[in-house]
């Protein structure tokens, strides 16, 4: 069997150990004679998985009691619409525009007739840094994208504001300890750092649940999910099962602090390969905005021919998913929690050899 080093941005690598457990349990889950994906979402069998996933999220994130953990569908993209739908009260809503995903979120607020205020943007520098963000303290909400998956930039610290802070953490879920004093709603699709596509995790402060108007459809209200423990209708049961296995795997690694430490080591190896290449590789992100999750870079003079050659050589060495997003070209190594140190070292070695050969 061949397991590639998968540097894809999402859906992305899932720990091999997790997939092996899922494989082993696929036909007969815990002696039930059925697969977990064949189990009723109202059964005890599934309920244990559901409860465990919520408990593990609370435990790993050290979540205070005044937060709810919700499982939704529709991806992070549906959250772009649900956030204004549930939280807008006629006041100001403010956004930091740090990339394509922020822009889409801003657009969804505008569609609803709201006038979103852009308090900071890095668009003029092709989103190569996290700008200084100052939110007002009396808005309906303030919104950031913690990790910008395409450009490889990431907040080192969340902005401080008395407005409820909303964080799109789709591409850095469960990769560092979150300061919940600063956050009121944090969400993300599971498919980058936490499991398969199909599950969206929403962590919301309870005091935000009652804002929603009667005119908002049932399935688009956070309150519906909170009141029914995310079992109002059929949740994505198999996705939540895999998510739970990933959370157990993180616990086995020593929790989020241990994962964070390892992620820093992994990212440093690749950024060192860029910084020590004497200008052969050019990182997209400014140094103080660099992401620990997505390392986006070009070869000098945006040499597309050499970039294609590097991608090809990587593929021959079993490293896949490295093509950069079309908006900035080049290469992007997504090194989420599941990417091994071994995989990162293999890529750094290839980058060094390639630079030597072509400098
Ligand atoms: C991938 C991504 C999204 C979109 O996620 P979907 O689940 O496909 O809707 C949104 N925000 C960020 C930061 C992402 O990386």
């Amino acid at each position: 069997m061949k397991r590639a080093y998968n540097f894809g941005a999402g859906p992305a690598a899932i720990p091999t150990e997790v997939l092996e457990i899922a494989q082993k349990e696929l036909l007969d889950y815990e002696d039930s004679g059925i697969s977990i994906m064949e189990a009723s979402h109202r059964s005890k069998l599934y309920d244990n998985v559901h409860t465990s996933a919520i408990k593990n999220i609370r435990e790993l994130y050290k979540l205070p009691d005044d937060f709810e953990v919700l499982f939704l569908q529709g991806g992070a993209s549906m959250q772009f619409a649900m956030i204004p739908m549930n939280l807008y009260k006629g006041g100001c809503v403010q956004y930091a525009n740090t990339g394509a995903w922020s822009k889409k979120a801003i657009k969804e607020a505008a569609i609803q007739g709201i006038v979103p205020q852009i308090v900071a943007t890095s668009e003029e520098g092709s989103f190569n840094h996290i700008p200084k963000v100052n939110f007002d303290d009396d808005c309906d909400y303030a919104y950031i994208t913690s990790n910008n998956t395409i450009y490889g930039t990431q907040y080192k610290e969340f902005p401080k504001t008395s407005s409820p802070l909303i964080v799109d953490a789709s591409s850095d879920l469960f990769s560092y300890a979150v300061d919940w004093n600063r956050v009121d709603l944090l969400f993300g699709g599971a498919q980058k750092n936490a499991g398969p596509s199909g599950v969206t995790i929403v962590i919301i402060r309870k005091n935000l649940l009652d804002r929603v108007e009667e005119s908002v459809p049932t399935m688009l209200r956070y309150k519906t999910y909170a009141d029914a423990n995310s079992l109002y209708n059929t949740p994505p049961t198999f996705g939540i099962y895999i998510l739970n296995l990933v959370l157990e795997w993180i616990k086995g690694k020593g929790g989020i602090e241990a994962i964070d430490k390892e992620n820093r080591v992994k990212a440093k190896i690749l950024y060192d390969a860029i910084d020590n290449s004497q200008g052969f590789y050019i990182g997209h992100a400014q140094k103080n905005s660099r992401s620990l999750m997505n390392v986006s870079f070009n070869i000098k003079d945006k040499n597309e021919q050499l970039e294609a050659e590097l991608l090809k050589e990587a593929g021959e060495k079993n490293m896949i998913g490295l093509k950069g997003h079309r908006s900035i070209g080049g290469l992007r190594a997504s090194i989420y929690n599941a990417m091994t140190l071994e995989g990162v070292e293999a890529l750094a070695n290839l980058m060094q050899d390639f630079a030597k050969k072509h400098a």
Side-chain angles (χ1 to χ4, degrees), residues 74-78 80 101 145 147-149 168 170-171 189 191-192:
S77 299
M78 197 165 86
F80 300 163
W101 296 117
T145 309
N147 184 74
N148 297 279
T149 323
D168 175 359
S170 289
S171 50
Q191 71 271 19
K192 282 159 185 146

Side-chain angles (χ1 to χ4, degrees), residues 46-123:
Y46 174 70
D47 186 60
N48 287 339
V49 170
H50 194 88
T51 305
S52 169
I54 294 170
K55 186 172 143 275
N56 281 330
I57 290 174
R58 300 199 82 97
E59 211 174 296
L60 282 168
Y61 257 154
K62 299 188 169 67
L63 210 58
D65 288 340
D66 61 330
F67 281 85
E68 285 287 351
V69 175
L70 312 177
F71 297 130
L72 286 79
Q73 302 188 53
S77 299
M78 197 165 86
Q79 292 313 302
F80 300 163
M82 273 181 76
I83 286 157
M85 233 177 244
N86 281 263
L87 304 182
Y88 177 62
K89 293 194 298 185
C92 48
V93 305
Q94 299 189 325
Y95 286 77
N97 177 19
T98 54
W101 296 117
S102 308
K103 281 179 84 164
K104 285 192 167 168
I106 292 163
K107 194 174 138 207
E108 290 297 322
I111 283 176
Q112 293 174 44
I114 302 166
V115 182
Q117 299 173 3
I118 318 295
V119 302
T121 178
S122 50
E123 189 159 16

Side-chain angles (χ1 to χ4, degrees), residues 56-64 169 172-178 180 186 203 256:
N56 281 330
I57 290 174
R58 300 199 82 97
E59 211 174 296
L60 282 168
Y61 257 154
K62 299 188 169 67
L63 210 58
D172 61 3
L173 279 173
F174 310 121
S175 67
Y176 51 83
V178 169
W180 295 102
L186 182 137
I203 300 173
I256 285 187

Side-chain angles (χ1 to χ4, degrees), residues 13-48:
I14 292 178
T16 302
E17 299 92 319
V18 164
L19 296 176
E20 281 169 348
I21 295 172
Q23 181 184 46
K24 206 166 95 245
E25 296 179 337
L26 192 67
L27 299 183
D28 179 10
Y29 181 68
E30 291 196 338
D31 260 335
S32 63
I34 60 172
S35 174
I36 191 65
M37 71 176 117
E38 300 172 297
S40 160
H41 60 295
R42 310 280 174 207
S43 65
K44 186 79 196 138
L45 201 64
Y46 174 70
D47 186 60
N48 287 339

Side-chain angles (χ1 to χ4, degrees), residues 196-266:
S197 59
V199 194
T200 311
I201 298 154
V202 173
I203 300 173
I204 183 171
R205 203 183 285 275
K206 288 178 183 167
N207 66 1
L208 293 179
L209 292 169
D210 289 324
R211 275 197 195 182
V212 70
E213 306 274 346
E214 292 288 328
S215 56
V216 172
T218 311
M219 284 298 288
L220 296 174
R221 299 181 198 181
Y222 293 124
K223 194 168 168 15
T224 301
Y225 295 82
D227 288 349
N229 189 29
S230 301
L231 288 160
Y232 175 79
N233 76 327
T234 318
T237 54
F238 191 69
I240 293 168
Y241 159 76
I242 300 284
L243 164 67
N244 187 46
L245 291 180
V246 170
L247 297 167
E248 296 277 349
W249 175 84
I250 296 174
K251 274 165 74 176
K253 303 261 298 180
I256 285 187
E257 286 73 14
I259 282 270
D260 185 18
K261 216 165 137 191
E262 189 176 315
N263 285 336
R264 284 169 197 280
V265 172
K266 279 153 49 185

Side-chain angles (χ1 to χ4, degrees), residues 240-301:
I240 293 168
Y241 159 76
I242 300 284
L243 164 67
N244 187 46
L245 291 180
V246 170
L247 297 167
E248 296 277 349
W249 175 84
I250 296 174
K251 274 165 74 176
K253 303 261 298 180
I256 285 187
E257 286 73 14
I259 282 270
D260 185 18
K261 216 165 137 191
E262 189 176 315
N263 285 336
R264 284 169 197 280
V265 172
K266 279 153 49 185
K268 185 172 187 308
I269 291 170
L270 291 186
Y271 287 120
D272 280 351
I274 291 170
D275 294 341
N276 299 334
S277 70
Q278 272 137 12
F280 184 79
Y281 299 114
I282 317 282
H284 181 75
Q286 289 179 6
K287 282 190 183 173
N288 55 7
S289 296
R290 281 175 165 176
S291 166
L292 299 178
M293 298 284 104
N294 309 93
V295 179
S296 294
F297 61 97
N298 289 85
I299 292 179
K300 67 176 174 201
D301 307 323

